[in-house]
Amino acid sequence: MLTARDEDDLLTALYAGSFDQPLWQTFLDRLRARLGARFAGIIFRPPDRPPNSPVELFSGTRAPPALNQLYREELYKNDPFLGFQMREGRVYSLPELFIDGDPVHETFRRDVLAPSGIRFMRLVRVSEPSGVSTWLSVSRDRSDFSAADSALLSRLATHFRIALRSHIALERERMRSSIADDMMRRLAFGWISLDANGCVVEVTPQAQRMLQYGQGLRIARNGRLVASDPQIDRKLSAAIKDLASAPGGRPRAMSISTDPWGEMLLAPVSGEVTGTAGTPAMIAYLQGDTQSESDRYEQIAELFGLLPSEARLALALSRGMSIAEAAQSLGITVETARNYSKKIYAKMGARGQNDLIRYILTSVLALA
């Protein structure tokens, strides 16, 4: 007989299941133990997957691997569960799903259920507005389940529908976040959220890589974001102070490193945002490289057949510098830079700086 405490333990594990690895493992282990089942499982059938390729979570003794393989290849065609229109939330037993004397059903019982040790089963379907159908099942090989067992599954199904909806919403957010992180990484973008004192609240993976490779920024022991160069750090501190005192202030842009290259835009957070780790007041948007200038110009030289001196200038021009600015940063005259640029454009087949930038940004170098 299940106590209220037993059911509370099941519900706690059910709602926390999205954070288990594998998913809902603790819940399935507890459910199997509470009901004395040989097997407890959750089967997902997303609408975009073929009927012989469900996603299965389980606790206990499942079918032998060879039988699972045979099911995916052939036996699924005789699966009565696939064709039976189960009413959502209702708990079904095997006799309600099988037609006595039906050769197809009898074959499935003999070839799939019996070798899997399934003589008695309870099964309930739970669906979600996105179209994902899910089946929660328990099975035994010695004795049947009671009416109380079925009532418990029915109550759990109601809660599982809520947990499933939350899980799918969380998965969508994780996917969006993953896509956004990948895009930011490919564009060499990252961001760091800061509180009003300039202390770090959150760091994206790309920004973490940029900090790791010493791009002119670091997190101090007190948690503040600081610049390695004292002059840039004073500028950063002033910008943080101004934005903290005037939340609607304009964003501040600054160069934080030349080798590796790195730039930052410090902007106020729009709207009310709170978090358990702190309340972000501003976002430091970072763009830059995780490799040194020498690595980059060597790659450009190899790809486009440039001399080292030409590759250095090409790299500077690809970052939007004018001929005069590039010449100054490289310590050469403007006339020398113009001569180099003509050779660069000829070797790359570029008609000007815009073409040069496009060729470099759309080449395999963008992946580096």
Side-chain angles (χ1 to χ4, degrees), residues 115-365:
S116 301
I118 299 175
R119 290 187 59 211
F120 306 98
M121 175 182 276
R122 291 296 183 271
L123 192 69
V124 59
R125 183 173 75 89
V126 178
S127 63
E128 197 272 340
S130 67
V132 176
S133 289
T134 309
W135 286 262
L136 176 62
S137 67
V138 290
S139 65
R140 290 176 180 164
D141 58 353
R142 297 182 182 276
S143 60
D144 203 356
F145 294 94
S146 66
D149 295 334
S150 296
L152 173 65
L153 283 179
S154 180
R155 292 194 299 274
L156 290 175
T158 301
H159 292 276
F160 186 49
R161 186 180 301 109
I162 300 171
L164 178 62
R165 189 168 188 176
S166 298
H167 171 71
I168 291 174
L170 180 61
E171 285 297 296
R172 286 175 178 160
E173 288 305 314
R174 285 171 176 165
M175 177 61 73
R176 292 190 186 103
S177 177
S178 176
I179 293 172
D181 283 346
D182 184 63
M183 179 188 70
M184 297 286 270
R185 179 183 60 81
R186 291 179 182 275
L187 293 174
F189 270 104
W191 56 264
I192 302 173
S193 61
L194 307 172
D195 65 15
N197 296 315
C199 293
V200 173
V201 177
E202 187 177 1
V203 183
T204 63
Q206 176 63 12
Q208 185 63 53
R209 283 191 288 270
M210 295 166 76
L211 291 173
Q212 178 183 349
Y213 286 98
Q215 272 181 272
L217 291 174
R218 61 183 177 86
I219 301 175
R221 290 184 178 180
N222 60 4
R224 285 178 55 89
L225 182 68
V226 298
S228 303
D229 184 289
Q231 184 176 352
I232 297 173
D233 189 54
R234 286 192 292 272
K235 186 177 180 181
L236 173 60
S237 297
I240 290 173
K241 184 177 180 180
D242 288 346
L243 287 179
S245 60
R250 64 176 180 82
R252 311 296 174 85
M254 62 190 76
S255 174
I256 55 175
S257 175
T258 56
D259 188 14
W261 160 67
E263 297 173 345
M264 179 176 67
L265 179 71
L266 192 66
V269 170
S270 58
E272 291 290 331
V273 180
T274 58
T276 56
T279 301
M282 60 200 77
I283 305 290
Y285 296 98
L286 308 177
Q287 185 181 29
D289 215 335
T290 55
Q291 295 187 354
S292 67
E293 294 282 331
S294 60
D295 292 331
R296 280 287 178 247
Y297 81 70
E298 286 174 3
Q299 292 167 352
I300 292 175
E302 291 170 353
L303 186 61
F304 297 107
L306 304 179
L307 296 175
S309 55
E310 296 167 347
R312 290 188 184 92
L313 179 62
L315 179 60
L317 294 176
S318 73
R319 290 174 173 167
M321 292 186 185
S322 66
I323 287 288
E325 292 169 336
Q328 183 179 6
S329 69
L330 296 175
I332 58 178
T333 65
V334 174
E335 187 60 32
T336 299
R338 287 200 178 97
N339 290 333
Y340 284 169
S341 67
K342 293 176 184 178
K343 296 176 182 178
I344 292 168
Y345 297 150
K347 292 180 179 180
M348 294 180 64
R351 290 171 293 184
Q353 188 172 356
N354 289 341
D355 271 358
L356 180 147
I357 294 172
R358 179 166 57 87
Y359 289 170
I360 290 178
L361 292 183
T362 57
S363 71
V364 292
L365 296 178

